[in-house]
Amino acid sequence: MVNCLIVGHGAREHVIGESLVQSGANLFAFMSFKNAGLEDLSKGKIKIHSETDFKEIIEFAKDKKIDFAVIGPEAPLCVGIVDALEKSNIPCIGPKIEAAQLEGSKIFTRNLLRKYKIPSNIESESFNSMDGLKSYIKDLGKENIVVKPDGLTGGKGVKVYGDHLFSIQDILDYCQEIIDQKSPFILEEKCNGEEFTLQTFVDGTNVIRTPLVQDHKRAYENDEGPNTGGMGSYSMEDHLMPFIDKNDVEMALEDMTKVVAAVKAETGVEYKGFLYGQYMKTSKGIKLIEFNARFGDPEAMNVLPLLKSNFVDICQGIIDGKLTNNVEFEKKATVCKYLAPEGYPVSPKKDELVKIDVNKMEKIGAKYYYASVYRDNDKIYTTTSRAIGVLGIAENLEKAEKIAEQGVSCVEGKLFHRKDVGTQQLLQKRIEHMNSILKK
Ligand code: AMP
Ligand code: GLY
């Protein structure tokens, strides 16, 4: 049996752990907060400690004779967990610190894309003071501006003109706020179109795709309210989107392959692990919004449960640099709905009881994954972030959405979710939006 260590504590790590176990792994988990799902899957072979304390992780991995570690979240990747573990001869699924800059630094990424003439790049400029800001805003036009702090912000640092910023003063005020936090930042061109997530397995050279997913960042129905880590996501049985065709995916995949080669050329380090590309289809083609050096949360829940190939073998292929194109997924649709504490993300109600009717959930055929909740005396409680991811899988989107909704009704507590995720109505809106942009 292969001893696999998962580092991380959320729903993404729960589904990664499930896939490893289903592929025959003997699972261990190292997490800063106890995930009840990972505790069960690993049969209690866990350690609760900071996910960036490499010394402790190495000690735990050596003691448990770990064959390889899968790193779930971005925080340990961006401070060099893979470099540290590999120095101690523990192979990892995840990029080394230099390659993880694709997520850790938006300035690094935009510079790389510009230097290597990657087609999906857009206009951008980096700043660390107010110098030159006004003239750049004038050149690009205020209504075309997006402001992004350089580093990790948990999906909550990006502000877009028209969504969060409504005047030049708003833009300048937000830039000043970032400067006050001593962070560099970029201003980039605002794109219009439909977003999609392309998650891939990367072995240093080869980039192998998984089914496309669309996430829902806004907290409330109809894409209203503040940005969140993602309130839910869906994927289609043909692994595309009704508004993103095979050609588009091939272009995005080619783009990611070029980026992986550019990382090697620029840093001398091979990109290995999962690479998440968030793209937007616009009237000017496929444009890169951001990269993540990991699987998405919730998007991991849309793709890993569909995997027909052995996940442990895929991980081994990443480590050995021998990934092949024969990774297979079930031709099914998925809908994932996140239940979040009432008030999330502004003033979430924590320490509230969450009751899951497991038998009913099983009868319905829905799956569920623990996110930011804790178990105490066999009872589950909320914290301040997303609580439970509920997943429906079926031969088409309509059925998958129904299963997800029925699954949600098996969870009781002071929680809310977006009923519109994965509905035909929202899908139609996306299709019409895309059509209107392409017609212009
Ligand atoms: P990010 O954290 O980079 O994924 O950004 C959060 C959200 O902001 C994205 O999902 C997009 O909806 C939006 N966004 C980011 N960059 C751009 C851009 N250049 N143009 C338009 N929207 C953007
Ligand atoms: N769902 C977006 C992310 O994982 O960053």
Side-chain angles (χ1 to χ4, degrees), residues 407-420:
V408 164
S409 71
C410 302
V411 186
E412 255 179 67
K414 290 199 169 131
L415 302 162
F416 78 101
H417 73 287
R418 276 186 60 169
K419 290 194 180 65
D420 60 349

Side-chain angles (χ1 to χ4, degrees), residues 378-402:
D378 266 341
K379 290 200 171 94
I380 300 289
Y381 296 90
T382 58
T383 63
T384 54
S385 196
R386 298 171 297 181
I388 309 274
V390 178
L391 179 71
I393 304 177
E395 63 266 33
N396 61 42
L397 190 71
E398 209 173 339
K399 286 187 184 160
E401 196 274 332
K402 278 211 178 87

Side-chain angles (χ1 to χ4, degrees), residues 28 45 72 97 129 138-139 186 201 243 271 273 313 348 388 428:
F28 296 78
K45 300 187 300 288
I97 189 165
S129 73
K138 204 167 156 220
D139 287 351
I186 56 169
F201 303 118
F243 40 84
Y271 191 102
D313 290 347
I388 309 274
Q428 199 51 41

Side-chain angles (χ1 to χ4, degrees), residues 355-368 370 403 406-407 409-411:
K355 278 193 196 159
I356 305 175
D357 188 335
V358 177
N359 291 332
K360 200 171 147 206
M361 185 85 78
E362 214 165 274
K363 246 187 229 153
I364 288 162
K367 301 181 72 137
Y368 64 97
Y370 293 105
I403 295 171
Q406 285 167 354
S409 71
C410 302
V411 186

Side-chain angles (χ1 to χ4, degrees), residues 106 110 122-123 144-148 153-161 163-164 188-193 195 215 217-218 227-228 276 278 280 282 287-292:
K106 296 191 155 77
R110 287 290 172 211
I122 53 174
E123 269 299 316
N144 297 321
I145 295 279
V146 178
V147 184
K148 301 185 173 186
T153 56
K156 289 155 203 147
V158 173
K159 293 205 174 174
V160 179
Y161 193 91
D163 289 344
H164 320 93
E188 69 178 30
E189 181 189 344
K190 177 180 170 180
C191 303
N192 281 315
E195 282 178 83
D215 186 18
K217 288 245 147 104
R218 299 299 200 93
N227 270 344
T228 68
Y276 167 122
Q278 175 141 27
M280 194 183 275
T282 73
K287 299 294 168 198
L288 188 271
I289 299 296
E290 67 162 359
F291 285 124
N292 291 325

